[in-house]
Amino acid sequence: MENKKRILLTGATGYIGKRLLPILLEQGYHVICCVRDVNRFSPPQSLSASITVIKIDLLDSKSLDVIPKDIDGAYYLVHSMSSSDNYKKLELECATNFRTALETTNVKHLIYLSGIVNEDNLSKHLSSRKDVEIELSKGSYNVTTLRAGIIIGSGSASFEIIRDIVEKLPIMITPKWLKTRCQPIGITDVLAFLSKTLFHKETYNQNFDIGGSDILSYKDMLLGFGDKRNLKRSIFIIPVMTPRLSSYWLYFVTSTSYKLATALVSSMKVEVICRDNRLADILNIQPLSYREALDKAFVKIQRNQIASSWKDALISGEMNIEISDFIKVPSFGCFIDKRSKRYNDRTHTIDKIWRIGGKTGWYYATWLWKVRGYIDKLFGGVGLRRGRTNEDTLIAGDSVDFWRVLYSNKEEGRLLLFAEMKLPGEAWLEFKIEKDQLVQTATFRPLGLSGRLYWFSVLPFHGFIFKGMLAKLTA
């Protein structure tokens, strides 16, 4: 390990970070993974010798003291699509704290993944990313900024939103930003650029736009997706749809949250086209076309090999939680529905539990779960549309419809979920194998009178749904 170069990886639990980590390990680096919540990070045990995990919060400068001094390279893959009023200030504060911490280390090269910013009139989020780039570039180390537009890959936000729209709507009445041009890039190319740029001196202290081989409008991308799926789609663009209406349109048609929809709409009005292909030439990378990127994404989906998904990011929900804050299920002041039943086959029951939600559904009265999801969506919640990333695998931090996985141990036979739906309180759902029985526990901690009224209003449905679900799981 002493001879290995040490790489600091921020955003290790994110969509890009999860996919970049194994590539860096394959290249022989020792990777220091920065996470805000250690309970959400669970790399394979076989890789533990090449990984160090540290807990940091970029808004807490003192927490960055744990960053090792003997690092050689670093990746800044941290950004959010928050729509809070002080978003830009928080992003800049994170970058400033990180730059200050890096300047106390031996780091030689920092790589920052940003967005293409080739217009003067930038969206709030692209403008923020440019500010972060400027701040990170003030350091005493070498910096390379890679600017990407729409990323296409299994589990990416762009891919999933396009899929939602095309699969569900044969006829689309759409906002005028569908005419905006962009240069989508496949996730495999993004990872190639990120990994090959590291310690490449010809890239030091520069910024590069990275994109695929096609320049397309968003309308072209939707129609191209339909062609890939052999789905004939008609798109009619109307100029009267305001940004707010566009955000609601995206929110109700796709699995995105409203705050993410708002951020995306503001960004989609800006053209994101690469200035040149300098970096592709320097690194000898031949970027994929949009159709080739789609082909690769569908291969991963068909094989159930999606390595990471934007739906598992906390931004996909309405709550910014830390698993450690909720993993201990309370009992005081809570309403509890606890049921148990003897199972026929332990392995079979556990396999069923680990496939719950998503395409599998909830085993009993799934239509009622769907109704609850529609109601949640109407009130600004996530609904059921997130589904799940993998069909038979769950790890802490994953999303399952409108739940978040807090704890997952298949050998122990325990799965703990926390509700991210709109509720006048907090809710947990736990499945646990105890001796020869499955114990199923729903816990609700009400918030005031409205929480208590809510519990009693749904109590009749609980008796119906939870009893039936338990019977199906143990059969």
Side-chain angles (χ1 to χ4, degrees):
M1 190 177 104
E2 291 77 11
N3 297 324
K4 288 184 176 181
K5 286 188 175 180
R6 294 163 62 81
I7 309 300
L8 189 74
L9 178 64
T10 63
T13 60
Y15 178 74
I16 302 291
K18 275 186 179 179
R19 297 181 183 227
L20 182 60
L21 175 57
I23 294 174
L24 296 176
L25 295 175
E26 284 179 16
Q27 293 179 342
Y29 296 116
H30 183 91
V31 183
I32 297 96
C33 296
C34 300
V35 298
R36 200 180 70 178
D37 188 348
V38 294
N39 291 294
R40 292 191 66 216
F41 186 69
S42 51
Q45 191 66 33
S46 59
L47 302 176
S48 59
S50 298
I51 295 176
T52 299
V53 182
I54 59 174
K55 180 178 179 179
I56 67 169
D57 181 348
L58 290 171
L59 288 172
D60 178 5
S61 58
K62 291 184 178 179
S63 75
L64 305 188
D65 292 344
V66 300
I67 294 177
K69 306 303 180 187
D70 59 341
I71 58 173
D72 301 284
Y75 285 92
Y76 194 78
L77 305 180
V78 179
H79 59 79
S80 172
M81 294 297 275
S82 168
S83 56
S84 61
D85 293 336
N86 60 346
Y87 165 80
K88 290 186 68 174
K89 176 178 176 293
L90 294 177
E91 290 282 278
L92 190 59
E93 186 178 341
C94 287
T96 302
N97 290 340
F98 188 70
R99 173 185 61 77
T100 302
L102 275 194
E103 288 186 315
T104 68
T105 73
N106 299 325
V107 68
K108 301 174 183 64
H109 191 199
L110 170 66
I111 297 175
Y112 169 48
L113 180 61
S114 182
I116 293 178
V117 287
N118 54 10
E119 286 196 16
D120 294 330
N121 186 23
L122 296 175
S123 70
K124 177 181 176 181
H125 295 276
L126 288 176
S127 174
S128 177
R129 292 190 188 182
K130 188 172 183 179
D131 291 344
V132 168
E133 176 183 334
I134 293 170
E135 181 61 30
L136 293 175
S137 298
K138 294 176 181 177
S140 55
Y141 43 79
N142 299 296
V143 182
T144 303
T145 299
L146 305 184
R147 298 172 172 176
I150 299 295
I151 296 177
I152 301 298
S154 59
S156 76
S158 304
F159 176 85
E160 296 296 341
I161 288 171
I162 291 170
R163 180 162 70 160
D164 278 345
I165 293 172
V166 176
E167 298 278 357
K168 295 173 183 175
L169 301 177
I171 299 175
M172 307 175 212
I173 309 299
T174 64
K176 61 183 179 181
W177 48 255
L178 254 72
K179 293 180 180 179
T180 305
R181 296 189 308 159
C182 62
Q183 195 165 348
I185 181 171
I187 181 61
T188 53
D189 286 331
V190 174
L191 297 173
F193 280 115
L194 284 169
S195 59
K196 292 185 177 182
T197 298
L198 187 61
F199 302 128
H200 199 298
K201 293 183 179 180
E202 199 174 343
T203 71
Y204 284 3
N205 304 313
Q206 299 182 70
N207 60 69
F208 301 91
D209 293 347
I210 59 174
S213 59
D214 296 325
I215 296 175
L216 305 166
S217 68
Y218 291 110
K219 179 180 178 180
D220 293 333
M221 292 173 66
L222 292 175
L223 293 175
F225 192 101
D227 183 58
K228 161 68 181 173
R229 297 282 289 124
N230 294 317
L231 296 170
K232 184 173 175 58
R233 295 294 183 253
S234 299
I235 299 177
F236 300 95
I237 296 175
I238 58 174
V240 295
M241 198 175 286
T242 64
R244 180 181 289 272
L245 285 175
S246 295
S247 300
Y248 278 118
W249 178 80
L250 207 58
Y251 170 62
F252 281 109
V253 171
T254 73
S255 55
T256 184
S257 65
Y258 179 71
K259 61 184 176 182
L260 181 55
T262 303
L264 289 171
V265 166
S266 66
S267 297
M268 286 173 169
K269 293 182 290 185
V270 179
E271 276 200 350
V272 283
I273 298 173
C274 298
R275 294 163 293 178
D276 52 51
N277 293 315
R278 283 188 304 141
L279 190 59
D281 295 335
I282 291 171
L283 302 178
N284 193 27
I285 295 173
Q286 182 62 50
L288 300 173
S289 67
Y290 174 61
R291 180 58 184 258
E292 289 170 332
L294 288 180
D295 289 343
K296 279 186 169 290
F298 275 106
V299 167
K300 292 291 185 183
I301 292 169
Q302 289 161 3
R303 293 178 180 174
N304 194 29
Q305 295 177 337
I306 305 176
S308 61
S309 173
W310 79 275
K311 295 177 182 179
D312 295 328
L314 294 180
I315 188 66
S316 72
E318 298 296 316
M319 306 172 69
N320 190 11
I321 70 170
E322 284 200 31
I323 289 174
S324 54
D325 293 337
F326 294 92
I327 199 166
K328 183 175 175 56
V329 183
S331 57
F332 180 76
C334 296
F335 295 111
I336 298 172
D337 183 308
K338 187 172 184 178
R339 303 166 188 268
S340 61
K341 188 176 178 64
R342 182 172 295 183
Y343 51 77
N344 292 328
D345 183 306
R346 185 181 192 274
T347 301
H348 186 55
T349 292
I350 289 176
D351 286 343
K352 280 185 175 181
I353 294 170
W354 259 256
R355 295 179 67 90
I356 205 164
K359 292 180 180 178
T360 301
W362 292 82
Y363 294 107
Y364 190 78
T366 294
W367 66 275
L368 282 175
W369 289 91
K370 289 181 179 179
V371 170
R372 183 63 183 88
Y374 292 139
I375 294 172
D376 190 53
K377 198 80 171 175
L378 285 172
F379 283 89
V382 295
L384 290 181
R385 293 180 180 175
R386 288 188 305 187
R388 47 182 292 163
T389 300
N390 296 101
E391 293 179 12
D392 52 14
T393 303
L394 289 175
I395 61 174
D398 283 358
S399 63
V400 179
D401 294 334
F402 44 48
W403 300 91
R404 179 75 60 178
V405 179
L406 297 183
Y407 183 83
S408 174
N409 188 320
K410 206 167 184 179
E411 290 185 12
E412 179 186 346
R414 182 180 177 226
L415 178 68
L416 179 62
L417 308 176
F418 180 75
E420 289 191 307
M421 65 189 90
K422 292 286 188 179
L423 288 171
E426 297 160 340
W428 292 258
L429 181 60
E430 182 181 38
F431 303 95
K432 188 176 183 181
I433 297 294
E434 291 185 357
K435 297 181 179 179
D436 60 348
Q437 293 191 327
L438 170 63
V439 179
Q440 175 186 282
T441 309
T443 303
F444 181 68
R445 181 161 59 187
L447 182 62
L449 178 61
S450 61
R452 286 161 173 79
L453 291 174
Y454 170 82
W455 173 262
F456 289 112
S457 68
V458 299
L459 196 57
F461 299 101
H462 283 181
F464 175 68
I465 293 172
F466 290 147
K467 180 180 178 181
M469 183 168 65
L470 182 62
K472 291 287 187 180
L473 290 171
T474 54

